[in-house]
Amino acid sequence: MNEMYIHILIAEDDPDDRLLLEDAFQEACPNCRLDFVSNGLELLDYLQAPSLQQLPDLLLLDLNMPFKDGRQALKELRATPAFTGLPIVIMTTSNNDDDRQACLAAGADDYLVKPNRFRALLTLVQSLENYWTRHD
């Protein structure tokens, strides 16, 4: 049986946040397959790799990463025709409205502030999974 899954690419440099996200997705979205990159350079390498058969169903993008931050990566992705259809959700600790407006103006599909409690993160993951599953 060919089980459907949702492929989510997560660009996140903080190991603790990566672990929390992995735990939350494992509990709230068992049909999600996660891949992680830790900075904007790795993100672009991943998405431009010749071996990549299909774009992820969703990119969760942190803003504050080393080498190339999420803002720069978002602008580059949205300027590349091959990635214009890739859903990009900013997921960051910054609740700065200027950041939110700049990211949405640059082409992010949504802007979410990372919850500081695991239960709230589970709820967020469930809502992401529900939204992106319905829009396939």
Side-chain angles (χ1 to χ4, degrees):
M1 184 167 108
N2 185 10
E3 191 172 326
M4 293 295 293
Y5 66 88
I6 301 165
H7 180 199
I8 300 173
L9 178 59
I10 301 175
E12 171 62 63
D13 65 312
D14 185 290
D16 292 333
D17 284 350
R18 289 167 74 135
L19 186 59
L20 283 172
L21 284 165
E22 194 168 20
D23 288 348
F25 272 99
Q26 196 168 28
E27 186 172 327
C29 184
N31 63 327
C32 289
R33 188 186 105 205
L34 305 180
D35 285 325
F36 288 91
V37 293
S38 60
N39 62 62
L41 294 177
E42 284 182 20
L43 170 63
L44 294 172
D45 285 348
Y46 179 101
L47 290 172
Q48 295 169 345
S51 61
L52 186 66
Q53 302 276 320
Q54 183 177 345
L55 288 178
D57 296 301
L58 176 63
L59 168 60
L60 294 180
L61 180 60
D62 185 27
L63 288 184
N64 302 310
M65 298 183 294
F67 306 117
K68 184 181 293 262
D69 71 14
R71 293 163 194 85
Q72 295 167 304
L74 174 63
K75 286 179 184 167
E76 285 188 39
L77 290 171
R78 287 305 186 225
T80 306
F83 304 124
T84 56
L86 174 64
I88 300 174
V89 174
I90 304 299
M91 193 167 188
T92 184
T93 55
S94 171
N95 61 3
N96 181 310
D97 196 53
D98 290 339
D99 279 342
R100 174 187 300 275
Q101 295 305 320
C103 289
L104 293 173
D109 293 288
D110 204 351
Y111 186 103
L112 304 172
V113 177
K114 290 178 195 170
N116 56 8
R117 297 212 164 118
F118 188 72
R119 275 284 147 218
L121 182 60
L122 275 176
T123 301
L124 181 70
V125 166
Q126 288 168 331
S127 68
L128 281 170
E129 191 263 345
N130 289 338
Y131 179 83
W132 295 107
T133 302
R134 283 197 318 262
H135 289 83
D136 275 352

